[in-house]
Amino acid sequence: MPYTKQYMYFYDLPLNKPILKALYEKNYEKPTPIQEKAIPLILDKKDVIATAQTGTGKTAAFALPILQQLFRNQDTAKKSKKIRALIVSPTRELAIQIEENFASYGKYTNLRSTVLFGGASIEPQKERLKKGVDILIATPGRLLDLHKQDCVNLDYIETLVLDEADLMLDMGFIDDIKKIDRLCPDKKQVLLFSATMPTKVIDLANTLLNNPENIAVTPSSSAAKGVSQFLFYVPKQKKIELCLHILRNSIKGRILIFRRTKFGVDKLEKTLLKNGYNATSIHGDKTQTARQEALQQFKNKEVNILIATDVASRGLDISGLDAVINFDISNVPEIYVHRIGRTARAGKVGSSYSFCAADEKKYILDIQKLIQKKIPVIDDHPYLLNPKATPEVHKKKGSKYKKGRKSEASKKNKKRWY
Ligand code: AMP
């Protein structure tokens, strides 16, 4: 949809007074580009596929029109309320954050929202459902669990939102999503939001959405604008030393460090703590309480370094960062742009430091192709990678009896790597 002046301000959009009042209080004046594009389409009852990353205002892009649409039935007596909007989110933190957004934009309406997620006691969630809810935000597993226990009725869903669809597929939720879709009425509006649009997400959209409108904001390459990017070639085993060197000499302030695995996150956290840094971490193996606590400490500025896996931190509204360290380089170029985009929000200037080992050089080439520029290389550091270094080949260790085959029991015990 072309940019139209018509939607310059929120009050140009067909949103009712209670919603506008809440936006005014939050000092939101103008819709962001994704909101400007998505809100009229959603109000028009269209199915929508949106390519939008966190930080673009994508949550309000679906939350505001959903609140507006449900507003007409808002005065239904509490207990006879039916769930009419369902937002499915891959991670607990993201689900909580979405619910907070609904609660704050809808604070002057009588619409009620609640959030369901695993890893927390189920009874209070059942109690909240019993009280009557209009808008439900949930992670797939807990939602299906509560549905099986007859605590959730999805027969009245008018709008289904799949948020961070690419991540949901990466986390193996495809069957759950399809099941959730089948549990909702056939005739409903489906909105799919995804930070990246790989073929598997497009395939999913084709099976679930009906004649959808496609929208995208900021071609991902431009999201990197305003971030000073630096690239360090470094042997894998020297990355921790390089990280300490940079923290000592180059960066101050609030820093988010990305590592690929939870094991890597834990290891780096221990080293930073031992070296006197104020660091915490989030990853998929931490308890829900520990993850929330870490996030809150970072948001409240009690700690200034947060180490995270991509999966644990995706979609989270962690803003106002001074720097991002890509300790491990992602093999998905869009993720690089997504990560560094967290620093330069709202006109701020941030910086990103990427550590590239021999086996990650190919990812850098893909990233540079996407952002259409070369990332400046910093070579005045003590841990330079030999330019001729080739990726390490790990020989399989282990006893001859194991032969790399896993028992059924060990497969069941498989731990998540994120
Ligand atoms: P999101 O991409 O949904 O995670 O939103 C990123 C941040 O932008 C959140 O802190 C929102 O509260 C904020 N935000 C969303 N829409 C607007 C707007 N129109 N004006 C100012 N801030 C906004």
Side-chain angles (χ1 to χ4, degrees):
M1 208 172 73
Y3 181 86
T4 51
K5 237 185 160 155
Q6 210 182 336
Y7 302 129
M8 262 307 254
Y9 294 95
F10 274 115
Y11 52 71
D12 295 323
L13 284 157
L15 297 171
N16 57 39
K17 282 210 177 106
I19 298 175
L20 289 173
K21 186 174 172 193
L23 294 175
Y24 179 78
E25 272 183 17
K26 288 182 80 73
N27 287 327
Y28 294 5
E29 251 190 5
K30 297 177 182 182
T32 64
I34 186 77
Q35 292 162 1
E36 205 181 352
K37 289 177 182 174
I39 293 174
L41 290 173
I42 299 174
L43 288 175
D44 215 14
K45 282 280 171 201
K46 295 272 195 307
D47 280 7
V48 173
I49 303 181
T51 315
Q53 303 176 343
T54 190
T56 55
K58 72 183 171 71
T59 317
F62 60 78
L64 299 177
I66 286 176
L67 288 165
Q68 171 70 25
Q69 281 172 332
L70 299 187
F71 189 69
R72 62 182 189 277
N73 287 338
Q74 67 155 348
D75 289 316
T76 314
K78 278 181 193 163
K79 294 231 164 153
S80 59
K81 276 180 182 290
K82 309 260 189 292
I83 304 168
R84 286 177 298 142
L86 171 65
I87 294 88
V88 185
S89 145
T91 68
R92 307 162 231 192
E93 288 82 358
L94 187 54
I96 293 170
Q97 189 178 287
I98 297 171
E99 203 276 327
E100 285 168 357
N101 275 246
F102 270 100
S104 104
Y105 304 139
K107 72 190 261 204
Y108 294 111
T109 71
N110 292 330
L111 294 166
R112 293 166 66 103
S113 54
T114 195
V115 57
L116 309 177
F117 48 82
S121 156
I122 205 162
E123 290 307 320
Q125 298 183 359
K126 285 185 186 170
E127 285 308 308
R128 286 205 303 275
L129 286 166
K130 270 192 213 150
K131 286 188 184 149
V133 168
D134 303 280
I135 301 155
L136 182 63
I137 299 101
T139 54
R142 182 56 63 92
L143 175 65
L144 289 171
D145 197 359
L146 281 162
H147 185 273
K148 214 164 155 191
Q149 298 186 35
D150 247 351
C151 301
V152 177
N153 182 354
L154 300 179
D155 293 347
Y156 298 89
I157 296 294
E158 294 170 21
T159 305
L160 168 66
V161 183
L162 304 172
D163 196 20
E164 302 276 346
D166 51 351
L167 187 55
M168 287 212 266
L169 296 193
D170 285 349
M171 291 171 77
F173 286 137
I174 179 99
D175 291 335
D176 287 354
I177 295 172
K178 288 185 176 165
K179 198 162 173 191
I180 292 165
D181 172 66
R182 285 197 301 271
L183 295 173
C184 298
D186 281 347
K187 196 173 169 301
K188 63 178 173 305
Q189 178 179 38
V190 185
L191 311 173
L192 182 145
F193 283 74
S194 195
T196 59
M197 226 19 104
T199 329
K200 58 184 180 180
V201 175
I202 298 170
D203 289 347
L204 176 74
N206 285 337
T207 59
L208 301 186
L209 280 69
N210 184 14
N211 204 7
E213 299 278 345
N214 267 282
I215 53 179
V217 283
T218 47
S220 24
S221 56
S222 67
K225 273 185 200 153
V227 184
S228 310
Q229 303 169 59
F230 307 106
L231 178 59
F232 297 75
Y233 286 106
V234 55
K236 211 174 212 84
Q237 313 82 334
K238 292 289 176 199
K239 282 190 174 185
I240 288 196
E241 276 93 335
L242 176 64
C243 185
L244 289 169
H245 173 80
I246 288 179
L247 290 174
R248 261 194 308 271
N249 301 298
S250 309
I251 30 177
K252 296 268 168 303
R254 300 180 76 229
I255 303 154
L256 181 56
I257 307 180
F258 288 103
R259 292 219 60 176
R260 200 173 56 82
T261 65
K262 63 183 175 57
F263 173 78
V265 168
D266 280 341
K267 191 169 162 201
L268 182 62
E269 183 182 4
K270 278 194 197 120
T271 311
L272 294 188
L273 290 174
K274 240 197 275 167
N275 281 272
Y277 288 99
N278 207 357
T280 188
S281 69
I282 48 172
H283 60 63
D285 257 12
K286 285 201 153 187
T287 64
Q288 172 60 18
T289 327
R291 287 161 71 163
Q292 276 303 113
E293 207 173 291
L295 204 59
Q296 218 41 54
Q297 284 179 324
F298 189 65
K299 283 190 173 176
N300 297 345
K301 306 188 178 171
E302 287 163 45
V303 298
N304 69 317
I305 302 177
L306 179 67
I307 313 160
T309 56
D310 261 319
V311 174
S313 72
R314 267 287 282 284
L316 294 181
D317 181 22
I318 304 173
S319 47
L321 296 176
D322 296 289
V324 160
I325 298 180
N326 292 306
F327 197 101
D328 300 308
I329 310 286
S330 169
N331 59 347
V332 181
E334 284 84 2
I335 300 238
Y336 171 85
V337 180
H338 189 203
R339 287 177 177 182
I340 72 167
R342 288 169 178 274
T343 66
R345 291 195 183 178
K348 284 191 175 178
V349 179
S351 34
S352 83
Y353 299 77
S354 302
F355 299 174
C356 177
D359 59 345
E360 294 166 310
K361 283 183 185 170
K362 55 184 182 299
Y363 306 147
I364 293 293
L365 296 178
D366 292 341
I367 291 167
Q368 297 190 145
K369 213 190 267 171
L370 177 72
I371 62 175
Q372 292 173 354
K373 70 177 228 178
K374 273 197 164 294
I375 309 170
V377 176
I378 304 295
D379 49 17
D380 62 343
H381 68 84
Y383 310 103
L384 283 175
L385 176 74
N386 177 349
K388 289 193 183 129
T390 49
E392 290 165 35
V393 182
H394 293 282
K395 280 207 184 122
K396 258 200 175 157
K397 289 187 202 145
S399 103
K400 61 181 176 179
Y401 300 109
K402 281 197 178 155
K403 295 257 190 287
R405 206 176 293 159
K406 287 188 176 166
S407 71
E408 281 311 309
S410 92
K411 273 186 205 160
K412 273 192 191 137
N413 284 335
K414 186 169 174 267
K415 285 234 168 134
R416 296 187 289 175
W417 55 269
Y418 47 84

